[in-house]
Amino acid sequence: MNSTSASSSIKTAFSYCVQQVRSYDYHQYLCLLHLPPDMRKAAFALRAFNVETARAMDVASDPRIGLMRLLWWQEAIDKIFAHKVIEHPTAQALSHVISEQKISKGWLKRSIEARINDARREENDIPETIGELEKYAEDTASIMLYLTLQAGGISSTAADHAASHIGKASGLLLLLKSLPYHASRNHHISYIPADVASNHGLLVKYGNQSEIQMDNREGLSDAVFEMASVANDHLQKARELAGTVPTKALPVLLPAVPAQVLLDSLRRAHFDVFDPRLARGVLGISPLWFQLKLKWHAWRGKY
């Protein structure tokens, strides 16, 4: 392949990544537009990889096919770091980023392994504690922020700590937002941990199996409130670190804004995840209002 066609192929791959993020992770797409131009390519490649792995189980007609797709991506990461060519636009863009910037293979592998472990769970396998979900949120959402900071050449313990909290908050809140989808798809609510469910009378045991009651809407709202409160604590801790975070890292941490928007939307819905208002616009508010919130925070150097 000559240099002109190679350049065209890379450009097409990055365009594909941008479109994937815009189509399937719109609030993150809007956040990435506020990054400095020299950080956007890497960020869009990383987010497109996250879209591919996050959607693998949802788009598959059979869970086994979704798991195979995740295992394919696990192998693809090894091939990319071994400088092997992979005919997939997201993999091509990621390979180009890795060739130019320092990207942790360990973090990418940890992210895909978290998705694989989640895919291998039985439908009625309920996490025991909220700590398990926080770990999942860090291994998926926080890691994307760590990688974006790394790709931007930002080495800061304070920024990493803030990213950890923001990712955990974002991950927990998106799991809550996804509860109706998973309930309709699997007829189970599997992202409320047993300890939280038990606190609110939602946990029903059948022999060695446990299940969360879907018809106890008041108890479910109380459980959602408890989990959302943990997410809120993470956002508060992230903001307490703002004064020690390097200026260059602030745009990377803008995903705290959509997390707060979703938290506020849940609050307006009285933590009823089945409230149709949560599905409107961007995380429950109008797209214009969401963009104005983002612009305001970006202009003020806040997150």
Side-chain angles (χ1 to χ4, degrees):
M1 185 182 291
N2 61 45
S3 60
T4 303
S5 60
S7 175
S8 175
S9 176
I10 292 299
K11 186 176 179 181
T12 300
F14 277 106
S15 295
Y16 174 86
C17 289
V18 172
Q19 190 56 50
Q20 286 293 97
V21 179
R22 181 173 184 171
S23 298
Y24 301 111
D25 202 356
Y26 187 61
H27 64 277
Q28 292 293 351
Y29 165 80
L30 294 174
C31 287
L32 296 189
L33 295 181
H34 290 281
L35 289 174
D38 63 334
M39 292 177 66
R40 279 184 210 154
K41 281 174 67 176
F44 272 112
L46 290 165
R47 281 288 167 187
F49 166 74
N50 190 57
V51 165
E52 297 283 355
T53 57
R55 297 184 70 241
M57 296 299 291
D58 294 338
V59 299
S61 56
D62 184 315
R64 290 170 295 182
I65 296 173
L67 180 58
M68 285 173 60
R69 192 66 180 163
L70 289 170
L71 293 170
W72 183 90
W73 274 108
Q74 185 180 46
E75 186 180 337
I77 296 301
D78 288 328
K79 288 182 177 178
I80 288 169
F81 278 89
H83 309 293
K84 295 180 180 177
V85 177
I86 301 175
E87 296 299 326
H88 187 289
T90 299
Q92 289 171 344
L94 203 54
S95 180
H96 184 77
V97 168
I98 288 166
S99 72
E100 293 191 335
Q101 284 141 318
K102 182 183 176 183
I103 298 290
S104 169
K105 179 183 178 181
W107 279 341
L108 284 168
K109 294 279 281 190
R110 190 169 142 192
S111 171
I112 187 67
E113 283 162 11
R115 302 284 188 194
I116 290 169
N117 291 337
D118 186 55
R120 283 177 167 156
R121 284 197 306 136
E122 295 294 330
E123 287 183 357
N124 57 354
D125 186 10
I126 302 168
E128 287 298 318
T129 68
I130 196 165
E132 291 180 41
L133 292 181
E134 287 177 285
K135 174 74 165 56
Y136 177 72
E138 177 165 33
D139 287 349
T140 51
S142 299
I143 276 181
M144 287 299 113
L145 298 178
Y146 299 157
L147 287 164
T148 306
L149 289 167
Q150 189 179 52
I154 301 165
S155 179
S156 163
T157 301
D160 286 343
H161 283 168
S164 174
H165 288 300
I166 291 167
K168 286 176 182 176
S170 301
L172 286 175
L173 290 165
L174 288 172
L175 285 176
L176 290 176
K177 185 177 182 291
S178 73
L179 288 178
Y181 168 79
H182 290 290
S184 65
R185 183 181 171 96
N186 304 321
H187 306 292
H188 288 284
I189 291 181
S190 54
Y191 288 112
I192 292 181
D195 58 351
V196 174
S198 181
N199 289 344
H200 303 286
L202 295 174
L203 199 64
V204 179
K205 296 201 174 222
Y206 302 99
N208 294 327
Q209 299 291 329
S210 296
E211 191 172 300
I212 293 173
Q213 285 184 306
M214 294 171 57
D215 54 354
N216 183 353
R217 295 288 283 271
E218 183 178 351
L220 183 58
S221 294
D222 290 341
V224 169
F225 171 77
E226 183 176 339
M227 292 178 65
S229 297
V230 174
N232 183 61
D233 289 344
H234 282 299
L235 286 177
Q236 295 306 315
K237 288 174 183 174
R239 292 190 181 115
E240 288 168 7
L241 293 163
T244 59
V245 170
T247 302
K248 189 180 179 183
L250 294 174
V252 179
L253 303 178
L254 269 180
V257 177
Q260 185 65 57
V261 167
L262 181 50
L263 184 60
D264 292 340
S265 293
L266 281 167
R267 191 177 290 119
R268 284 192 298 273
H270 305 291
F271 300 95
D272 178 5
V273 291
F274 291 93
D275 190 312
R277 288 176 294 178
L278 293 173
R280 295 175 189 166
V282 180
L283 304 175
I285 66 173
S286 76
L288 178 59
W289 185 230
F290 180 83
Q291 290 183 62
L292 287 173
K293 278 180 174 288
L294 264 186
K295 287 181 183 295
W296 175 247
H297 282 81
W299 178 68
R300 294 176 67 214
K302 304 288 185 183
Y303 57 80

